[in-house]
Amino acid sequence: MRILILNGPNLNLLGRREPEIYGERDYEETMRDVAAFASQLGFSVDIRQTNHEGRLIDWLHEADAEGIDAVILNPGALTHYSYALHDAIVGVDTIVYEVHLSDPKKRKEPFRHHSVIKDACAYTFAGEGIGSYKKALEHLRKEWSS
Ligand code: DQA
């Protein structure tokens, strides 16, 4: 099974950015851990990050065209206002899981309390740090083996 993991704006700053919320591990180390876990589960995984909304949308379209089995998507703050991302998720056949390191619903800024992509995604995993990605991968594994 081929999985694409997409990370959006500012996730490249992990480790430096609000470590009390996102943890102290940097982006590379965090994603190495996610990649190793995905491989253990038998997935072939490609992990990408961009600070650009349009690039995320292009990657979703490409994943669909290439027959990627599932996308695990952490869109960063785009979660809260990108209707273009919502429409891209609805527009592709590829199954998309929403993930977040923090639990945006429990954060102090009200703008984080709503996800405009949630309804377009199959499942959401949030608030468990890197565990959110791992839970999403485990969930996919279960879905595919049943
Ligand atoms: C985030 C939560 C978003 O509200 C925030 O803008 C991010 C990261 C998370 O993983 O917890 O950039 O998606």
mmCIF file with all atom_site columns, all heavy atoms in Angstrom, residues 9-11 17 22 74-80 99-104 107 111-112 133, ligand 1:
data_model
loop_
_atom_site.group_PDB
_atom_site.id
_atom_site.type_symbol
_atom_site.label_atom_id
_atom_site.label_alt_id
_atom_site.label_comp_id
_atom_site.label_asym_id
_atom_site.label_entity_id
_atom_site.label_seq_id
_atom_site.pdbx_PDB_ins_code
_atom_site.Cartn_x
_atom_site.Cartn_y
_atom_site.Cartn_z
_atom_site.occupancy
_atom_site.B_iso_or_equiv
_atom_site.pdbx_formal_charge
_atom_site.auth_seq_id
_atom_site.auth_comp_id
_atom_site.auth_asym_id
_atom_site.auth_atom_id
_atom_site.pdbx_PDB_model_num
ATOM   1   N N   . PRO A 1 9   ? 1.902   24.402 6.151  1.00 0.00 ? 9   PRO A N   1
ATOM   2   C CA  . PRO A 1 9   ? 2.675   25.551 6.605  1.00 0.00 ? 9   PRO A CA  1
ATOM   3   C C   . PRO A 1 9   ? 3.188   25.462 8.039  1.00 0.00 ? 9   PRO A C   1
ATOM   4   O O   . PRO A 1 9   ? 2.454   25.085 8.956  1.00 0.00 ? 9   PRO A O   1
ATOM   5   C CB  . PRO A 1 9   ? 1.691   26.720 6.469  1.00 0.00 ? 9   PRO A CB  1
ATOM   6   C CG  . PRO A 1 9   ? 0.772   26.302 5.376  1.00 0.00 ? 9   PRO A CG  1
ATOM   7   C CD  . PRO A 1 9   ? 0.637   24.803 5.506  1.00 0.00 ? 9   PRO A CD  1
ATOM   8   N N   . ASN A 1 10  ? 4.443   25.812 8.177  1.00 0.00 ? 10  ASN A N   1
ATOM   9   C CA  . ASN A 1 10  ? 5.129   25.975 9.465  1.00 0.00 ? 10  ASN A CA  1
ATOM   10  C C   . ASN A 1 10  ? 5.488   24.671 10.175 1.00 0.00 ? 10  ASN A C   1
ATOM   11  O O   . ASN A 1 10  ? 6.128   24.709 11.223 1.00 0.00 ? 10  ASN A O   1
ATOM   12  C CB  . ASN A 1 10  ? 4.325   26.892 10.411 1.00 0.00 ? 10  ASN A CB  1
ATOM   13  C CG  . ASN A 1 10  ? 4.105   28.254 9.802  1.00 0.00 ? 10  ASN A CG  1
ATOM   14  O OD1 . ASN A 1 10  ? 5.075   28.896 9.386  1.00 0.00 ? 10  ASN A OD1 1
ATOM   15  N ND2 . ASN A 1 10  ? 2.871   28.690 9.685  1.00 0.00 ? 10  ASN A ND2 1
ATOM   16  N N   . LEU A 1 11  ? 5.093   23.547 9.596  1.00 0.00 ? 11  LEU A N   1
ATOM   17  C CA  . LEU A 1 11  ? 5.463   22.291 10.262 1.00 0.00 ? 11  LEU A CA  1
ATOM   18  C C   . LEU A 1 11  ? 6.961   22.021 10.129 1.00 0.00 ? 11  LEU A C   1
ATOM   19  O O   . LEU A 1 11  ? 7.531   21.270 10.910 1.00 0.00 ? 11  LEU A O   1
ATOM   20  C CB  . LEU A 1 11  ? 4.593   21.142 9.760  1.00 0.00 ? 11  LEU A CB  1
ATOM   21  C CG  . LEU A 1 11  ? 3.186   21.287 10.367 1.00 0.00 ? 11  LEU A CG  1
ATOM   22  C CD1 . LEU A 1 11  ? 2.138   20.574 9.552  1.00 0.00 ? 11  LEU A CD1 1
ATOM   23  C CD2 . LEU A 1 11  ? 3.142   20.834 11.806 1.00 0.00 ? 11  LEU A CD2 1
ATOM   24  N N   . ARG A 1 17  ? 9.338   25.803 17.092 1.00 0.00 ? 17  ARG A N   1
ATOM   25  C CA  . ARG A 1 17  ? 8.070   26.523 17.122 1.00 0.00 ? 17  ARG A CA  1
ATOM   26  C C   . ARG A 1 17  ? 7.229   26.045 18.304 1.00 0.00 ? 17  ARG A C   1
ATOM   27  O O   . ARG A 1 17  ? 6.859   24.866 18.366 1.00 0.00 ? 17  ARG A O   1
ATOM   28  C CB  . ARG A 1 17  ? 7.366   26.190 15.807 1.00 0.00 ? 17  ARG A CB  1
ATOM   29  C CG  . ARG A 1 17  ? 5.959   26.601 15.712 1.00 0.00 ? 17  ARG A CG  1
ATOM   30  C CD  . ARG A 1 17  ? 5.310   25.961 14.495 1.00 0.00 ? 17  ARG A CD  1
ATOM   31  N NE  . ARG A 1 17  ? 3.992   26.502 14.365 1.00 0.00 ? 17  ARG A NE  1
ATOM   32  C CZ  . ARG A 1 17  ? 2.981   25.886 13.783 1.00 0.00 ? 17  ARG A CZ  1
ATOM   33  N NH1 . ARG A 1 17  ? 3.155   24.695 13.234 1.00 0.00 ? 17  ARG A NH1 1
ATOM   34  N NH2 . ARG A 1 17  ? 1.807   26.445 13.728 1.00 0.00 ? 17  ARG A NH2 1
ATOM   35  N N   . TYR A 1 22  ? 4.061   21.746 20.484 1.00 0.00 ? 22  TYR A N   1
ATOM   36  C CA  . TYR A 1 22  ? 4.360   20.790 19.406 1.00 0.00 ? 22  TYR A CA  1
ATOM   37  C C   . TYR A 1 22  ? 5.508   19.835 19.715 1.00 0.00 ? 22  TYR A C   1
ATOM   38  O O   . TYR A 1 22  ? 5.800   18.958 18.910 1.00 0.00 ? 22  TYR A O   1
ATOM   39  C CB  . TYR A 1 22  ? 4.674   21.545 18.113 1.00 0.00 ? 22  TYR A CB  1
ATOM   40  C CG  . TYR A 1 22  ? 3.510   22.390 17.629 1.00 0.00 ? 22  TYR A CG  1
ATOM   41  C CD1 . TYR A 1 22  ? 3.594   23.781 17.579 1.00 0.00 ? 22  TYR A CD1 1
ATOM   42  C CD2 . TYR A 1 22  ? 2.318   21.785 17.234 1.00 0.00 ? 22  TYR A CD2 1
ATOM   43  C CE1 . TYR A 1 22  ? 2.523   24.554 17.138 1.00 0.00 ? 22  TYR A CE1 1
ATOM   44  C CE2 . TYR A 1 22  ? 1.242   22.539 16.800 1.00 0.00 ? 22  TYR A CE2 1
ATOM   45  C CZ  . TYR A 1 22  ? 1.356   23.929 16.755 1.00 0.00 ? 22  TYR A CZ  1
ATOM   46  O OH  . TYR A 1 22  ? 0.288   24.672 16.325 1.00 0.00 ? 22  TYR A OH  1
ATOM   47  N N   . ASN A 1 74  ? -1.695  16.852 7.395  1.00 0.00 ? 74  ASN A N   1
ATOM   48  C CA  . ASN A 1 74  ? -1.719  17.859 8.459  1.00 0.00 ? 74  ASN A CA  1
ATOM   49  C C   . ASN A 1 74  ? -1.548  19.209 7.770  1.00 0.00 ? 74  ASN A C   1
ATOM   50  O O   . ASN A 1 74  ? -0.432  19.607 7.444  1.00 0.00 ? 74  ASN A O   1
ATOM   51  C CB  . ASN A 1 74  ? -0.590  17.628 9.470  1.00 0.00 ? 74  ASN A CB  1
ATOM   52  C CG  . ASN A 1 74  ? -0.654  18.650 10.607 1.00 0.00 ? 74  ASN A CG  1
ATOM   53  O OD1 . ASN A 1 74  ? -1.409  19.627 10.534 1.00 0.00 ? 74  ASN A OD1 1
ATOM   54  N ND2 . ASN A 1 74  ? 0.131   18.442 11.641 1.00 0.00 ? 74  ASN A ND2 1
ATOM   55  N N   . PRO A 1 75  ? -2.645  19.931 7.552  1.00 0.00 ? 75  PRO A N   1
ATOM   56  C CA  . PRO A 1 75  ? -2.555  21.169 6.776  1.00 0.00 ? 75  PRO A CA  1
ATOM   57  C C   . PRO A 1 75  ? -2.149  22.400 7.591  1.00 0.00 ? 75  PRO A C   1
ATOM   58  O O   . PRO A 1 75  ? -2.218  23.509 7.075  1.00 0.00 ? 75  PRO A O   1
ATOM   59  C CB  . PRO A 1 75  ? -3.977  21.354 6.228  1.00 0.00 ? 75  PRO A CB  1
ATOM   60  C CG  . PRO A 1 75  ? -4.797  20.228 6.760  1.00 0.00 ? 75  PRO A CG  1
ATOM   61  C CD  . PRO A 1 75  ? -4.040  19.605 7.872  1.00 0.00 ? 75  PRO A CD  1
ATOM   62  N N   . GLY A 1 76  ? -1.717  22.207 8.862  1.00 0.00 ? 76  GLY A N   1
ATOM   63  C CA  . GLY A 1 76  ? -1.378  23.376 9.677  1.00 0.00 ? 76  GLY A CA  1
ATOM   64  C C   . GLY A 1 76  ? -2.575  24.304 9.762  1.00 0.00 ? 76  GLY A C   1
ATOM   65  O O   . GLY A 1 76  ? -3.730  23.863 9.775  1.00 0.00 ? 76  GLY A O   1
ATOM   66  N N   . ALA A 1 77  ? -2.315  25.606 9.753  1.00 0.00 ? 77  ALA A N   1
ATOM   67  C CA  . ALA A 1 77  ? -3.405  26.583 9.908  1.00 0.00 ? 77  ALA A CA  1
ATOM   68  C C   . ALA A 1 77  ? -4.381  26.601 8.736  1.00 0.00 ? 77  ALA A C   1
ATOM   69  O O   . ALA A 1 77  ? -5.514  27.089 8.879  1.00 0.00 ? 77  ALA A O   1
ATOM   70  C CB  . ALA A 1 77  ? -2.817  27.982 10.129 1.00 0.00 ? 77  ALA A CB  1
ATOM   71  N N   . LEU A 1 78  ? -3.979  26.018 7.594  1.00 0.00 ? 78  LEU A N   1
ATOM   72  C CA  . LEU A 1 78  ? -4.918  25.957 6.453  1.00 0.00 ? 78  LEU A CA  1
ATOM   73  C C   . LEU A 1 78  ? -6.179  25.171 6.829  1.00 0.00 ? 78  LEU A C   1
ATOM   74  O O   . LEU A 1 78  ? -7.236  25.364 6.235  1.00 0.00 ? 78  LEU A O   1
ATOM   75  C CB  . LEU A 1 78  ? -4.253  25.305 5.239  1.00 0.00 ? 78  LEU A CB  1
ATOM   76  C CG  . LEU A 1 78  ? -3.125  26.102 4.590  1.00 0.00 ? 78  LEU A CG  1
ATOM   77  C CD1 . LEU A 1 78  ? -2.377  25.228 3.575  1.00 0.00 ? 78  LEU A CD1 1
ATOM   78  C CD2 . LEU A 1 78  ? -3.664  27.354 3.909  1.00 0.00 ? 78  LEU A CD2 1
ATOM   79  N N   . THR A 1 79  ? -6.016  24.292 7.818  1.00 0.00 ? 79  THR A N   1
ATOM   80  C CA  . THR A 1 79  ? -7.149  23.517 8.360  1.00 0.00 ? 79  THR A CA  1
ATOM   81  C C   . THR A 1 79  ? -8.358  24.407 8.632  1.00 0.00 ? 79  THR A C   1
ATOM   82  O O   . THR A 1 79  ? -9.500  23.998 8.462  1.00 0.00 ? 79  THR A O   1
ATOM   83  C CB  . THR A 1 79  ? -6.728  22.905 9.733  1.00 0.00 ? 79  THR A CB  1
ATOM   84  O OG1 . THR A 1 79  ? -5.551  22.141 9.552  1.00 0.00 ? 79  THR A OG1 1
ATOM   85  C CG2 . THR A 1 79  ? -7.832  22.066 10.343 1.00 0.00 ? 79  THR A CG2 1
ATOM   86  N N   . HIS A 1 80  ? -8.056  25.616 9.079  1.00 0.00 ? 80  HIS A N   1
ATOM   87  C CA  . HIS A 1 80  ? -9.115  26.445 9.644  1.00 0.00 ? 80  HIS A CA  1
ATOM   88  C C   . HIS A 1 80  ? -9.767  27.394 8.639  1.00 0.00 ? 80  HIS A C   1
ATOM   89  O O   . HIS A 1 80  ? -10.783 28.003 8.961  1.00 0.00 ? 80  HIS A O   1
ATOM   90  C CB  . HIS A 1 80  ? -8.559  27.236 10.840 1.00 0.00 ? 80  HIS A CB  1
ATOM   91  C CG  . HIS A 1 80  ? -7.780  26.352 11.780 1.00 0.00 ? 80  HIS A CG  1
ATOM   92  N ND1 . HIS A 1 80  ? -8.356  25.282 12.435 1.00 0.00 ? 80  HIS A ND1 1
ATOM   93  C CD2 . HIS A 1 80  ? -6.460  26.332 12.131 1.00 0.00 ? 80  HIS A CD2 1
ATOM   94  C CE1 . HIS A 1 80  ? -7.430  24.663 13.165 1.00 0.00 ? 80  HIS A CE1 1
ATOM   95  N NE2 . HIS A 1 80  ? -6.271  25.285 12.990 1.00 0.00 ? 80  HIS A NE2 1
ATOM   96  N N   . VAL A 1 99  ? -4.816  14.865 10.274 1.00 0.00 ? 99  VAL A N   1
ATOM   97  C CA  . VAL A 1 99  ? -4.092  14.680 11.540 1.00 0.00 ? 99  VAL A CA  1
ATOM   98  C C   . VAL A 1 99  ? -3.563  16.016 12.057 1.00 0.00 ? 99  VAL A C   1
ATOM   99  O O   . VAL A 1 99  ? -3.261  16.933 11.275 1.00 0.00 ? 99  VAL A O   1
ATOM   100 C CB  . VAL A 1 99  ? -2.888  13.690 11.442 1.00 0.00 ? 99  VAL A CB  1
ATOM   101 C CG1 . VAL A 1 99  ? -3.317  12.298 11.062 1.00 0.00 ? 99  VAL A CG1 1
ATOM   102 C CG2 . VAL A 1 99  ? -1.805  14.200 10.529 1.00 0.00 ? 99  VAL A CG2 1
ATOM   103 N N   . HIS A 1 100 ? -3.443  16.094 13.377 1.00 0.00 ? 100 HIS A N   1
ATOM   104 C CA  . HIS A 1 100 ? -2.834  17.253 14.041 1.00 0.00 ? 100 HIS A CA  1
ATOM   105 C C   . HIS A 1 100 ? -2.016  16.775 15.228 1.00 0.00 ? 100 HIS A C   1
ATOM   106 O O   . HIS A 1 100 ? -2.443  15.864 15.945 1.00 0.00 ? 100 HIS A O   1
ATOM   107 C CB  . HIS A 1 100 ? -3.904  18.222 14.548 1.00 0.00 ? 100 HIS A CB  1
ATOM   108 C CG  . HIS A 1 100 ? -4.765  18.743 13.447 1.00 0.00 ? 100 HIS A CG  1
ATOM   109 N ND1 . HIS A 1 100 ? -4.333  19.700 12.563 1.00 0.00 ? 100 HIS A ND1 1
ATOM   110 C CD2 . HIS A 1 100 ? -6.010  18.398 13.053 1.00 0.00 ? 100 HIS A CD2 1
ATOM   111 C CE1 . HIS A 1 100 ? -5.294  19.936 11.676 1.00 0.00 ? 100 HIS A CE1 1
ATOM   112 N NE2 . HIS A 1 100 ? -6.322  19.156 11.952 1.00 0.00 ? 100 HIS A NE2 1
ATOM   113 N N   . LEU A 1 101 ? -0.885  17.433 15.436 1.00 0.00 ? 101 LEU A N   1
ATOM   114 C CA  . LEU A 1 101 ? -0.059  17.120 16.606 1.00 0.00 ? 101 LEU A CA  1
ATOM   115 C C   . LEU A 1 101 ? -0.792  17.535 17.879 1.00 0.00 ? 101 LEU A C   1
ATOM   116 O O   . LEU A 1 101 ? -0.917  16.777 18.830 1.00 0.00 ? 101 LEU A O   1
ATOM   117 C CB  . LEU A 1 101 ? 1.276   17.868 16.505 1.00 0.00 ? 101 LEU A CB  1
ATOM   118 C CG  . LEU A 1 101 ? 2.201   17.402 15.377 1.00 0.00 ? 101 LEU A CG  1
ATOM   119 C CD1 . LEU A 1 101 ? 3.174   18.489 14.993 1.00 0.00 ? 101 LEU A CD1 1
ATOM   120 C CD2 . LEU A 1 101 ? 2.946   16.141 15.785 1.00 0.00 ? 101 LEU A CD2 1
ATOM   121 N N   . SER A 1 102 ? -1.265  18.773 17.895 1.00 0.00 ? 102 SER A N   1
ATOM   122 C CA  . SER A 1 102 ? -2.025  19.285 19.040 1.00 0.00 ? 102 SER A CA  1
ATOM   123 C C   . SER A 1 102 ? -3.506  18.966 18.824 1.00 0.00 ? 102 SER A C   1
ATOM   124 O O   . SER A 1 102 ? -3.887  18.438 17.780 1.00 0.00 ? 102 SER A O   1
ATOM   125 C CB  . SER A 1 102 ? -1.826  20.804 19.157 1.00 0.00 ? 102 SER A CB  1
ATOM   126 O OG  . SER A 1 102 ? -2.408  21.457 18.036 1.00 0.00 ? 102 SER A OG  1
ATOM   127 N N   . ASP A 1 103 ? -4.301  19.297 19.840 1.00 0.00 ? 103 ASP A N   1
ATOM   128 C CA  . ASP A 1 103 ? -5.747  19.190 19.629 1.00 0.00 ? 103 ASP A CA  1
ATOM   129 C C   . ASP A 1 103 ? -6.275  20.610 19.426 1.00 0.00 ? 103 ASP A C   1
ATOM   130 O O   . ASP A 1 103 ? -6.497  21.337 20.403 1.00 0.00 ? 103 ASP A O   1
ATOM   131 C CB  . ASP A 1 103 ? -6.425  18.532 20.830 1.00 0.00 ? 103 ASP A CB  1
ATOM   132 C CG  . ASP A 1 103 ? -7.912  18.346 20.574 1.00 0.00 ? 103 ASP A CG  1
ATOM   133 O OD1 . ASP A 1 103 ? -8.417  18.891 19.570 1.00 0.00 ? 103 ASP A OD1 1
ATOM   134 O OD2 . ASP A 1 103 ? -8.556  17.650 21.365 1.00 0.00 ? 103 ASP A OD2 1
ATOM   135 N N   . PRO A 1 104 ? -6.482  21.010 18.166 1.00 0.00 ? 104 PRO A N   1
ATOM   136 C CA  . PRO A 1 104 ? -6.860  22.406 17.899 1.00 0.00 ? 104 PRO A CA  1
ATOM   137 C C   . PRO A 1 104 ? -8.107  22.843 18.665 1.00 0.00 ? 104 PRO A C   1
ATOM   138 O O   . PRO A 1 104 ? -8.213  24.004 19.056 1.00 0.00 ? 104 PRO A O   1
ATOM   139 C CB  . PRO A 1 104 ? -7.098  22.433 16.388 1.00 0.00 ? 104 PRO A CB  1
ATOM   140 C CG  . PRO A 1 104 ? -6.299  21.290 15.850 1.00 0.00 ? 104 PRO A CG  1
ATOM   141 C CD  . PRO A 1 104 ? -6.341  20.239 16.922 1.00 0.00 ? 104 PRO A CD  1
ATOM   142 N N   . ARG A 1 107 ? -7.171  24.366 21.994 1.00 0.00 ? 107 ARG A N   1
ATOM   143 C CA  . ARG A 1 107 ? -6.215  25.476 22.020 1.00 0.00 ? 107 ARG A CA  1
ATOM   144 C C   . ARG A 1 107 ? -6.926  26.772 22.359 1.00 0.00 ? 107 ARG A C   1
ATOM   145 O O   . ARG A 1 107 ? -8.130  26.895 22.186 1.00 0.00 ? 107 ARG A O   1
ATOM   146 C CB  . ARG A 1 107 ? -5.524  25.576 20.649 1.00 0.00 ? 107 ARG A CB  1
ATOM   147 C CG  . ARG A 1 107 ? -4.811  24.291 20.206 1.00 0.00 ? 107 ARG A CG  1
ATOM   148 C CD  . ARG A 1 107 ? -3.387  24.222 20.660 1.00 0.00 ? 107 ARG A CD  1
ATOM   149 N NE  . ARG A 1 107 ? -2.590  25.332 20.192 1.00 0.00 ? 107 ARG A NE  1
ATOM   150 C CZ  . ARG A 1 107 ? -1.905  25.346 19.040 1.00 0.00 ? 107 ARG A CZ  1
ATOM   151 N NH1 . ARG A 1 107 ? -1.934  24.302 18.234 1.00 0.00 ? 107 ARG A NH1 1
ATOM   152 N NH2 . ARG A 1 107 ? -1.175  26.408 18.712 1.00 0.00 ? 107 ARG A NH2 1
ATOM   153 N N   . PHE A 1 111 ? -9.933  30.634 16.556 1.00 0.00 ? 111 PHE A N   1
ATOM   154 C CA  . PHE A 1 111 ? -9.912  30.294 15.124 1.00 0.00 ? 111 PHE A CA  1
ATOM   155 C C   . PHE A 1 111 ? -9.505  28.842 14.885 1.00 0.00 ? 111 PHE A C   1
ATOM   156 O O   . PHE A 1 111 ? -9.788  28.274 13.837 1.00 0.00 ? 111 PHE A O   1
ATOM   157 C CB  . PHE A 1 111 ? -9.000  31.252 14.330 1.00 0.00 ? 111 PHE A CB  1
ATOM   158 C CG  . PHE A 1 111 ? -7.514  30.995 14.449 1.00 0.00 ? 111 PHE A CG  1
ATOM   159 C CD1 . PHE A 1 111 ? -6.882  30.031 13.657 1.00 0.00 ? 111 PHE A CD1 1
ATOM   160 C CD2 . PHE A 1 111 ? -6.730  31.724 15.336 1.00 0.00 ? 111 PHE A CD2 1
ATOM   161 C CE1 . PHE A 1 111 ? -5.523  29.794 13.750 1.00 0.00 ? 111 PHE A CE1 1
ATOM   162 C CE2 . PHE A 1 111 ? -5.362  31.488 15.447 1.00 0.00 ? 111 PHE A CE2 1
ATOM   163 C CZ  . PHE A 1 111 ? -4.765  30.524 14.651 1.00 0.00 ? 111 PHE A CZ  1
ATOM   164 N N   . ARG A 1 112 ? -8.859  28.229 15.892 1.00 0.00 ? 112 ARG A N   1
ATOM   165 C CA  . ARG A 1 112 ? -8.433  26.831 15.718 1.00 0.00 ? 112 ARG A CA  1
ATOM   166 C C   . ARG A 1 112 ? -9.544  25.826 15.998 1.00 0.00 ? 112 ARG A C   1
ATOM   167 O O   . ARG A 1 112 ? -9.385  24.635 15.767 1.00 0.00 ? 112 ARG A O   1
ATOM   168 C CB  . ARG A 1 112 ? -7.273  26.506 16.669 1.00 0.00 ? 112 ARG A CB  1
ATOM   169 C CG  . ARG A 1 112 ? -6.020  27.267 16.364 1.00 0.00 ? 112 ARG A CG  1
ATOM   170 C CD  . ARG A 1 112 ? -4.857  26.712 17.159 1.00 0.00 ? 112 ARG A CD  1
ATOM   171 N NE  . ARG A 1 112 ? -3.828  27.726 17.301 1.00 0.00 ? 112 ARG A NE  1
ATOM   172 C CZ  . ARG A 1 112 ? -2.915  28.014 16.376 1.00 0.00 ? 112 ARG A CZ  1
ATOM   173 N NH1 . ARG A 1 112 ? -2.893  27.342 15.242 1.00 0.00 ? 112 ARG A NH1 1
ATOM   174 N NH2 . ARG A 1 112 ? -2.025  28.962 16.584 1.00 0.00 ? 112 ARG A NH2 1
ATOM   175 N N   . TYR A 1 133 ? -0.228  10.720 14.059 1.00 0.00 ? 133 TYR A N   1
ATOM   176 C CA  . TYR A 1 133 ? 0.156   10.131 12.762 1.00 0.00 ? 133 TYR A CA  1
ATOM   177 C C   . TYR A 1 133 ? 0.144   8.600  12.868 1.00 0.00 ? 133 TYR A C   1
ATOM   178 O O   . TYR A 1 133 ? -0.302  7.899  11.963 1.00 0.00 ? 133 TYR A O   1
ATOM   179 C CB  . TYR A 1 133 ? 1.560   10.587 12.347 1.00 0.00 ? 133 TYR A CB  1
ATOM   180 C CG  . TYR A 1 133 ? 1.675   12.040 11.960 1.00 0.00 ? 133 TYR A CG  1
ATOM   181 C CD1 . TYR A 1 133 ? 1.754   13.037 12.936 1.00 0.00 ? 133 TYR A CD1 1
ATOM   182 C CD2 . TYR A 1 133 ? 1.722   12.428 10.624 1.00 0.00 ? 133 TYR A CD2 1
ATOM   183 C CE1 . TYR A 1 133 ? 1.871   14.375 12.599 1.00 0.00 ? 133 TYR A CE1 1
ATOM   184 C CE2 . TYR A 1 133 ? 1.848   13.760 10.266 1.00 0.00 ? 133 TYR A CE2 1
ATOM   185 C CZ  . TYR A 1 133 ? 1.924   14.726 11.256 1.00 0.00 ? 133 TYR A CZ  1
ATOM   186 O OH  . TYR A 1 133 ? 2.036   16.056 10.912 1.00 0.00 ? 133 TYR A OH  1
HETATM 187 C C1  . DQA B 2 .   ? -1.634  21.933 13.749 1.00 0.00 ? 1   DQA B C1  1
HETATM 188 C C2  . DQA B 2 .   ? -2.724  22.752 14.440 1.00 0.00 ? 1   DQA B C2  1
HETATM 189 C C3  . DQA B 2 .   ? -3.015  24.026 13.673 1.00 0.00 ? 1   DQA B C3  1
HETATM 190 O O1  . DQA B 2 .   ? -4.008  24.800 14.355 1.00 0.00 ? 1   DQA B O1  1
HETATM 191 C C4  . DQA B 2 .   ? -1.766  24.865 13.544 1.00 0.00 ? 1   DQA B C4  1
HETATM 192 O O2  . DQA B 2 .   ? -2.014  26.013 12.766 1.00 0.00 ? 1   DQA B O2  1
HETATM 193 C C5  . DQA B 2 .   ? -0.616  24.109 13.008 1.00 0.00 ? 1   DQA B C5  1
HETATM 194 C C6  . DQA B 2 .   ? -0.384  22.752 13.497 1.00 0.00 ? 1   DQA B C6  1
HETATM 195 C C7  . DQA B 2 .   ? -1.217  20.701 14.587 1.00 0.00 ? 1   DQA B C7  1
HETATM 196 O O3  . DQA B 2 .   ? -0.598  19.813 14.037 1.00 0.00 ? 1   DQA B O3  1
HETATM 197 O O4  . DQA B 2 .   ? -1.493  20.668 15.789 1.00 0.00 ? 1   DQA B O4  1
HETATM 198 O O5  . DQA B 2 .   ? 0.186   24.618 12.251 1.00 0.00 ? 1   DQA B O5  1
HETATM 199 O O6  . DQA B 2 .   ? -2.137  21.460 12.506 1.00 0.00 ? 1   DQA B O6  1
#
